[in-house]
Amino acid sequence: GLKASSLADPLLNQLASETDTIALQKGLEALAKMDVPITPFAEQVKTLFSREEEVIQQAVANAILSMPSEVSVPMLIERLDHPELDISIRAAELLGHLGSNAIPALKPLLDKAQGQLTNQAPNRTYQKAFTEIGLSGVPILLEHIGKTTNRGDSDWITPMLADYGMIG
């Protein structure tokens, strides 16, 4: 934890060249608990975001959730446009977990949801993340409906409003 913060720089350096999955996982977990220089830590987490091993994905998710939102949210918004759908979906799910700290991601998530209308599963993932961020999404949805010219083009937003409950 914080008592080991003096070891953060050497651990960051070691992580950059580490190939062992368990060592990477443990290193990320340790760094997430330390008072670590955020920029190099965020860069290291970015490089590991696309790893497929479940233990690494979980450690990366925990590391991102431990970062200040002004660092993690832009990183995740950037990953929404990743060509690999799994990575984009992971980014959306993490944005949803961040809740109201991820308000800057509302419009990019809405754009992704609209862009994925032909594939229901990812679309629903983006919609769910959008509503998990919180009530700040309601005005954005209403604005989007107001801009829609064809009557049926915004039908997919109704379930999102319903997810908000009575307020929606």
Side-chain angles (χ1 to χ4, degrees):
L2 292 174
K3 292 178 184 175
S5 293
S6 63
L7 301 174
D9 286 332
L11 185 54
L12 271 168
N13 292 335
Q14 176 64 32
L15 224 56
S17 60
E18 186 59 61
T19 57
D20 181 72
T21 301
I22 299 302
L24 279 170
Q25 172 203 5
K26 297 297 182 187
L28 281 172
E29 289 173 353
L31 286 165
K33 296 175 185 173
M34 293 179 184
D35 185 19
V36 61
I38 195 64
T39 302
F41 181 51
E43 288 302 316
Q44 186 63 44
V45 170
K46 275 173 142 176
T47 65
L48 296 171
F49 195 89
S50 60
R51 292 283 295 260
E52 294 181 12
E53 302 94 340
E54 189 174 331
V55 292
I56 300 295
Q57 287 181 14
Q58 188 60 51
V60 165
N62 290 337
I64 288 172
L65 295 174
S66 76
M67 292 179 192
S69 59
E70 52 274 357
V71 174
S72 61
V73 171
M75 180 191 315
L76 292 170
I77 290 172
E78 181 182 316
R79 293 295 179 275
L80 286 175
D81 290 327
H82 197 279
E84 292 181 40
L85 186 59
D86 289 348
I87 292 172
S88 177
I89 287 175
R90 263 188 278 156
E93 289 171 343
L94 285 169
L95 285 165
H97 286 298
L98 287 170
S100 62
N101 289 331
I103 288 173
L106 286 170
K107 288 193 179 193
L109 280 168
L110 188 62
D111 291 343
K112 284 300 284 189
Q114 185 168 12
Q116 293 287 322
L117 286 176
T118 57
N119 189 343
Q120 189 59 29
N123 181 32
R124 188 63 191 140
T125 300
Y126 300 122
Q127 291 175 347
K128 183 176 184 239
F130 184 97
T131 56
E132 285 176 341
I133 290 173
L135 295 175
S136 298
V138 173
I140 293 171
L141 291 176
L142 295 175
E143 178 184 333
H144 185 77
I145 290 171
K147 290 179 181 177
T148 305
T149 54
N150 295 333
R151 181 171 164 84
D153 287 349
S154 63
D155 288 347
W156 60 278
I157 291 180
T158 305
M160 292 175 71
L161 287 169
D163 286 345
Y164 284 109
M166 291 298 291
I167 292 173

